[in-house]
Amino acid sequence: MVKKTGRSRVKKTVSIESGRIYVSTTFNNTIVTVTNEKGDTVAWSSSGNKGFKGTRKSTPYAATSAVEEAIRKARETGVKTVEVFIKGPGVGRDAALRAIRNSGLAISMIADVTPIPHNGPKVKNKRRV
């Protein structure tokens, strides 16, 4: 029989005042990450993590519940003010921002960091028949 070693992981709980919320919305999912000022992850959640499957993951309600879960976890570490960075074309953008506003956290900045091509790849030639 295998003996258990006496080690157990101890979570460090460091109280942080301000953080950043990164909301990545795609056509299929919404991923929310709460970090501290350095960029270390404090809490995260996603629509799939909340139990939504298939096309229901891409709904505004799923995005709202993912944001609420991530903020609930972040509040336990003491986050009070946040900067919000929203990325992607999904339908959960507005719903996620609305959920952050209604959570009671002080928002110091909102930025859209969606990558936009400034020229992009060469366009495929039109078919000639």
Side-chain angles (χ1 to χ4, degrees):
M1 186 162 184
V2 179
K3 277 192 163 184
K4 244 186 166 181
T5 59
R7 293 185 190 183
S8 64
R9 282 181 77 179
V10 178
K11 263 191 175 178
K12 291 182 184 176
T13 54
V14 179
S15 180
I16 56 172
E17 290 290 318
S18 62
R20 295 179 178 176
I21 297 179
Y22 293 92
V23 181
S24 176
T25 61
T26 64
F27 292 116
N28 295 320
N29 203 356
T30 301
I31 300 170
V32 184
T33 307
V34 182
T35 66
N36 60 8
E37 290 294 320
K38 288 195 306 186
D40 302 329
T41 301
V42 174
W44 70 275
S45 184
S46 69
S47 300
N49 189 30
K50 287 297 294 172
F52 294 96
K53 301 251 187 272
T55 56
R56 293 180 64 219
K57 283 197 303 186
S58 61
T59 60
Y61 177 71
T64 302
S65 61
V67 167
E68 288 171 352
E69 174 72 15
I71 289 175
R72 185 189 61 76
K73 290 178 187 174
R75 281 194 167 212
E76 293 172 2
T77 62
V79 175
K80 291 187 177 68
T81 62
V82 291
E83 298 173 350
V84 182
F85 297 93
I86 298 181
K87 175 182 180 180
V91 295
R93 293 168 58 99
D94 299 331
L97 193 56
R98 210 172 296 122
I100 294 169
R101 281 190 182 150
N102 292 338
S103 69
L105 293 175
I107 300 173
S108 61
M109 180 187 71
I110 299 172
D112 186 5
V113 292
T114 305
I116 300 170
H118 291 287
N119 200 358
K122 187 176 176 183
V123 179
K124 192 175 177 184
N125 284 341
K126 192 174 179 182
R127 185 170 175 258
R128 292 186 291 240
V129 181

